[in-house]
């Protein structure tokens, strides 16, 4: 005997309310990730174009961050090791160390530009900082100008004590640095060129990774979740009858 089975879709209240509440949220997250991927793609294109563009000279007058960001820049002056900072927890080949950021006093002025001279290994312990040589005299630095992030997670990092310079920071906080000194500072950090002889350390800078693929992968996951949610909703609310 052949039984003709038919399916009846009968939406129930609770599954319907749950789907109506969750589906827009899930789809919204997917489209937000796609938008972030598009923003990062534009950022990546800007980085590639500017790093291969003309070299920009950094002088004494303060320049907008946007006018310097991602450009290969050049500046001449003397290092100010008194206000040097070490950015903690920078890992290279499994070893923990610091990025050494030293202000360069631009020749003929009091304006500084911050130079990331590269990586140095952790000292014997965190109570003893590694010995870092800073070359005297006038230096010409060349490198790519980067604008430090303005938002980052920090575990209650204290401000430098009055009259004392705190050399170890968890992040490159440009606003904190500007508030801690009395001289004007250009709004970028220059990643010292690996071929520079101006007091460089270990420099293995990589091309900007804007995370485009990651955002697209997250978008795919959110859209897949939306499809799964709709499928589950249909299955839960569909009954068969003879």
């Amino acid at each position: 005997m052949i039984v003709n089975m038919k399916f009846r879709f009968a939406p129930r209240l609770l599954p319907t309310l749950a789907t109506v509440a969750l589906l827009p949220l899930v789809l919204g997250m997917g489209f937000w990730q796609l938008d972030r991927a598009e923003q990062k793609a534009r950022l990546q294109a800007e980085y590639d174009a500017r790093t291969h563009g003309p070299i920009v000279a950094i002088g004494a007058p303060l320049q907008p961050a946007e006018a310097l960001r991602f450009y290969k820049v050049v500046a001449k002056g003397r290092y100010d090791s008194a206000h040097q900072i070490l950015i903690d927890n920078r890992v290279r080949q499994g070893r923990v160390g610091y990025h050494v950021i030293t202000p360069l006093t631009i020749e003929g002025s009091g304006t500084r530009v911050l130079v990331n001279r590269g990586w140095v290994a952790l000292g014997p312990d965190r109570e003893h900082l590694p010995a870092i040589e800073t070359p005297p005299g006038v230096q010409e630095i060349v490198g790519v100008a980067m604008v430090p992030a303005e938002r980052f997670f920090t575990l209650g990092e204290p401000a430098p004590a009055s009259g004392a310079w705190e050399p170890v920071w968890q992040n490159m906080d440009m606003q904190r640095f500007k508030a801690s000194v009395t001289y004007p500072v250009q709004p970028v950090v220059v990643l010292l060129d690996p071929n520079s002889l101006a007091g460089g350390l270990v420099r293995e800078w990589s091309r900007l990774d804007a995370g485009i693929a990651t955002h697209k992968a997250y978008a795919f996951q959110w859209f897949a979740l939306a499809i799964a949610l709709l499928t589950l909703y249909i299955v839960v609310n569909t009954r068969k009858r003879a």
Side-chain angles (χ1 to χ4, degrees):
M1 182 178 64
I2 299 177
V3 179
N4 184 21
M5 302 295 293
K6 293 184 179 180
F7 293 90
R8 178 172 60 90
F9 181 68
R12 287 179 287 178
L13 180 61
L14 288 180
T16 299
L17 291 177
T19 303
V20 169
L22 291 175
L23 187 59
L25 176 62
V26 173
L27 289 174
M29 290 299 297
F31 284 115
W32 180 75
Q33 290 290 350
L34 285 180
D35 182 64
R36 290 289 293 159
E38 178 61 28
Q39 293 178 29
K40 293 295 184 67
R42 292 195 295 268
L43 186 69
Q44 187 74 69
E46 178 187 348
Y47 175 86
D48 291 338
R50 291 190 170 192
T51 53
H52 292 91
I55 296 179
V56 176
I58 297 181
L62 294 181
Q63 298 170 257
E66 181 57 32
L68 298 173
R69 182 175 69 165
F70 300 153
Y71 279 111
K72 196 168 186 177
V73 298
V74 60
K76 186 178 290 187
R78 297 173 182 269
Y79 282 124
D80 171 18
S81 58
H83 290 145
Q84 180 169 273
I85 57 177
L86 307 181
I87 307 301
D88 203 356
N89 295 316
R90 296 305 185 262
V91 179
R92 176 182 178 269
Q93 298 180 355
R95 296 183 65 191
V96 178
Y98 306 96
H99 275 181
V100 179
I101 298 183
T102 312
L104 182 84
T105 305
I106 297 174
E107 197 172 32
S109 76
T111 303
R112 268 72 158 180
V113 60
L114 301 182
V115 181
N116 189 333
R117 295 165 54 202
W119 181 89
V120 64
L122 190 71
D125 53 58
R126 293 192 179 277
E127 298 299 321
H128 299 85
L129 298 179
I132 300 169
E133 293 186 6
T134 302
V138 176
Q139 307 292 322
E140 182 176 81
I141 63 102
V142 176
V144 176
M146 304 294 289
V147 178
E150 294 183 356
R151 297 179 182 179
F152 36 73
F153 179 77
T154 182
L155 295 173
E157 184 173 297
S162 177
W165 183 255
E166 175 59 52
V168 179
W169 295 17
Q170 296 302 313
N171 302 281
M172 181 57 248
D173 187 338
M174 185 63 79
Q175 296 306 316
R176 175 186 172 187
F177 189 90
K178 289 180 178 179
S180 303
V181 297
T182 57
Y183 46 73
V185 183
Q186 296 287 3
V188 295
V189 174
V190 179
L191 303 183
L192 190 63
D193 190 276
N195 297 319
S196 173
L197 300 177
L201 303 166
V202 179
R203 289 153 291 163
E204 298 174 339
W205 313 125
S206 58
R207 175 175 176 267
L208 174 68
D209 179 10
I212 300 169
T214 300
H215 286 295
K216 288 184 176 180
Y218 284 149
F220 174 82
Q221 292 175 6
W222 283 112
F223 289 136
L225 183 58
I227 293 173
L229 182 62
L230 278 176
T231 302
L232 179 62
Y233 175 70
I234 293 172
V235 170
V236 167
N237 291 284
T238 300
R239 300 178 182 182
K240 59 184 179 179
R241 58 186 178 185

